[in-house]
Amino acid sequence: MGYPRGSLTRVPVVDDVDSQQATRLSLREIWAGLVRPAFSDSHFWIIQAMVVTTFFIDLGGDLAQNAHLIPLPGFVWIVLLFVPVAYGGRYFGIVGSLGAALSGMILVIPEMLLFQHSVEQQLGTYSITAIMIIVAFVTGERLEEIQAIKRALAATDELFRSQQRSSIVFENSVAAICITDTEGNILEVNRSYCELVGLTKETITGQNITDLADPEHSVSDAQTIHRLVAGEVQSVNFTTRCLHKDGHSIWVDAFYAMVRDRGGVPIYIVASFHDITARRASLEALNNSEKRFRSAFDASPIGIALTSIDGRFLQVNSALCEMVGRDATDVINLGIFGLAHPSDRDSINQLLQTHDDVIQFTKRYLHADGHILHVQVTCSLIRDSDVDERYFISQFRDITEERARSTQLVHQALHDPLTGLANRALFEDRLSQVNVRSERLGSQSAVLLLDLDDFKTVNDTAGHHIGDQMLVELSRRLEKVTRSSDTLCRYAGDEFLYLAEGLESPMEAEQVADRLLSVIDEPFHIDGRDFAQHASIGVAVYGANGVEDAKIIECADIALYEAKRLGKGTYVVFTPEMNEKTSTRFQLIQELKHASLSNEFSMSYQAILDLDTESIAGFEASLRWVHPQRGLMLPDAFIPLAEQSDLVLELGAFALHEAISKALSWEIKGAQSRAPYVMINLTTRQFHDPNLVTMVDKALAASGIAPTRLILEFTEETALDDISTTVEVLENLKRLDVRTALRDFGAGYSSLSYLAFLQPSIVKVDQSITQSIHDTAVLETIVFLSHRLNLSVLAQGIETIDQLASLRQLGCDLGQGSLIAHVLP
């Protein structure tokens, strides 16, 4: 029979088979009570012992008083007839009472033999006994009814509580639950099921469950119900799709179970559903990501392999096979150790055993024809949390030709490639030995830090190529006044360090400073133009004015800062009072806070060219501080200070709103197909600020600008600072349709595998790679892999026509630099 439609508290209809079976069980219970032997219970024998004891006490009294049996029994054992009744109820109590009465009557016989009794007396005694037995029977019957009522009430209460618990669990279950009859017609649903399909309980009840399924799955769902009713299966777990009221499909994990009565007849079906739409979408996204990675892996021009932690190759790409001159099977069989030179295998094994997250080394590998390759290997450790397995993504780069130029590399390691002067490494090596030499010779030494004044203006107005020629010319002039015992170094950018040894007194250090400044008096003549230039110098003398060996460069830097503060074009010798530089920086931070309230900040913009259409694709925005005393300050001068406090977030919000407002004023011109976008750089604090996405969303909504016209830049270092936050930020920005750019890619250590992970819209190649365009291997690799991942490539720092032509030939998408456009307000 089917389950009646209605609430869960309704009792299913019981058929004739169940009724007959219940009747048989009841009769068996009655029969068991009647035939249960009373003497099998210890209480029965206690009752009999009480009867015997009572009788002998009464008999003793009769003998002592020479008494006679009277119609009313003189013993109290009759009362004990009620004990079995109170203990055992109707059936067992009756048997017990009869047994007690029989025992008492047998015990009366000796008394009747001792004394003479009339027939009336004997009949009276037996009559009273019979009456007491009848009273016991009636009392037992009533007591049994009372106990049955109590048991029924207790069972009813327990049934109510059980149904109440079941109803609470059913209604409040997070799983969507539905109860149907054997034909699939819905009898009852819980709240979760209503929320799943977007319908009310009244609307759902009475419909067939297949009507709420996706049309593509309704037939298979009906077949599942048929299998359950037919008894082919007791329960079924499968994946299907439900249909929401608004028409979209919902993927669910379904579980159907058939409920049968005690006779095995199907009554109703219980179905539960768990929404797995989001999980399937995540799996699909993961599969797509894996496909993209596989495509990049197979087609990459760099050798890539998946390597187990013990050095076995799991998968290799064709570039690695071509590098070593072997097919994929041979490479996999040999593994990372088999390909390596025998002398290098032990050291490779030791490196892999460290199990560091990133392992980088350069070792010798053997080509199939026997010649030796010098290969740079980068192994990034990957942990698979699902199977608790670890393996490496290994990148192999052939650097044999670079090793062949070892002499040139050694020179470059110790000299500046632009000016040919000693670089920082060589200078610091000389600096570490100068104190020993000075003590041995009994002389003094000094460090002078020279910095060109306003050199940034030269780069911004005339271009970096002019600035580089000026640095080269300055280096030649400084070399002419450098003594053979001294060391001249290009420290960084337009900063030069001078190590003066063998000084007789601190005054000689000032003479060196005058000599260095004198070579800049004459203007620089470059490309037919004259450039007047000045410089400032900070001087620190070993052992003088509290200068410590380890901090002499820092002292020279403090003195240089003071020289620039005094008006530039001069030199200053360090004194202890200059340590107030720290407090000066603190003051600058305070001025920054005031500047944000005084409207001292402005924005500048540099165009970005689409190299294919030669149209302006967008503009990069950067912040400027027009300081009342210091003049125009670039971001590098104050952003690091602002980054130390929440002030950088205020500046970031200002830059965002200003840049969006400016972008709204740009129009489509010439061959452009759409309005230019604006690109804004984010600092680490801004990128990881919890309110970043909300701020961007509100700015877009307030301005009405298309989200695709906003591009937010970040560095690889910023992204790796907090991986979990990075993933969340990038996903939220993508939901807003805001694009992202990975800036300065290629500067320092950059892993190509991060491109597939971060998925920025644009990869901004660092200008150091753009300006080394004669060596195109790295740039070609970046462009190829980026395009395989559907990413655009923007080359920074384009300064020459040759660079622009080479970038177009390599397929670079976008370009930026002084050749294209200077920075504009």
Side-chain angles (χ1 to χ4, degrees), residues 47-57 103 107:
I47 296 169
Q48 308 312 314
M50 292 170 63
V51 172
V52 173
T53 302
T54 305
F55 171 77
F56 278 111
I57 293 173
S103 300
L107 292 174

Side-chain angles (χ1 to χ4, degrees), residues 306-315 332 334-337 352:
L306 296 182
T307 312
S308 66
I309 58 174
D310 58 0
R312 292 179 295 105
F313 283 148
L314 305 176
Q315 296 181 35
I332 291 176
L334 289 170
I336 198 169
F337 301 120
L352 293 181

Side-chain angles (χ1 to χ4, degrees), residues 567-736:
K568 306 177 183 179
T570 184
Y571 69 87
V572 170
V573 180
F574 174 81
T575 62
E577 291 77 14
M578 293 179 187
N579 274 325
E580 295 179 0
K581 180 180 180 181
T582 302
S583 61
T584 302
R585 289 180 176 174
F586 176 78
Q587 180 182 358
L588 191 59
I589 293 177
Q590 302 306 312
E591 293 174 353
L592 268 173
K593 295 179 180 178
H594 175 75
S596 63
L597 301 175
S598 303
N599 298 322
E600 295 177 7
F601 293 103
S602 62
M603 300 296 293
S604 62
Y605 303 88
Q606 186 175 30
I608 298 173
L609 184 68
D610 187 319
L611 300 186
D612 184 28
T613 64
E614 296 187 354
S615 61
I616 299 299
F619 293 86
E620 179 179 358
S622 59
L623 190 63
R624 298 288 189 269
W625 181 11
V626 184
H627 195 281
Q629 288 79 37
R630 305 174 192 273
L632 182 65
M633 298 181 66
L634 301 179
D636 291 344
F638 59 87
I639 289 298
L641 296 176
E643 184 82 351
Q644 300 172 11
S645 66
D646 290 339
L647 183 59
V648 73
L649 303 180
E650 298 179 19
L651 296 179
F654 170 82
L656 177 66
H657 288 87
E658 288 294 310
I660 290 178
S661 299
K662 185 70 173 179
L664 289 173
S665 66
W666 297 333
E667 300 177 356
I668 300 177
K669 296 181 179 180
Q672 289 181 257
S673 60
R674 55 186 178 182
Y677 54 75
V678 63
M679 185 179 294
I680 306 173
N681 182 35
L682 297 177
T683 68
T684 301
R685 280 287 302 279
Q686 289 176 275
F687 187 85
H688 294 292
D689 177 30
N691 299 319
L692 172 65
V693 177
T694 302
M695 180 184 70
V696 172
D697 190 18
K698 290 182 178 179
L700 293 173
S703 66
I705 193 172
T708 54
R709 292 188 62 193
L710 177 62
I711 299 178
L712 299 180
E713 297 183 65
F714 63 94
T715 64
E716 186 178 7
E717 181 181 2
T718 295
L720 300 180
D721 186 62
D722 187 343
I723 290 296
S724 59
T725 302
T726 296
V727 173
E728 182 180 356
V729 169
L730 293 179
E731 289 179 351
N732 289 334
L733 291 176
K734 186 175 293 185
R735 278 194 286 270
L736 296 179

Side-chain angles (χ1 to χ4, degrees), residues 48 63 99 114 124 147 153 180 258 267 269 285 291 318 464 480 492 573 714 745 767 796 818:
Q48 308 312 314
L63 292 174
L114 292 175
Q147 291 177 344
L153 289 174
T180 75
M258 173 61 72
I267 301 177
I269 298 171
K291 289 179 181 177
S318 57
H464 285 278
K480 292 179 180 180
V573 180
F714 63 94
F745 191 80
Q767 65 179 7
Q796 302 180 89
S818 59

Side-chain angles (χ1 to χ4, degrees), residues 473 477 517-525 531-534:
E473 175 62 24
R477 294 184 185 185
L517 290 177
S518 65
V519 303
I520 311 177
D521 292 340
E522 183 181 349
F524 292 87
H525 186 75
F531 296 90
Q533 189 64 47
H534 301 283

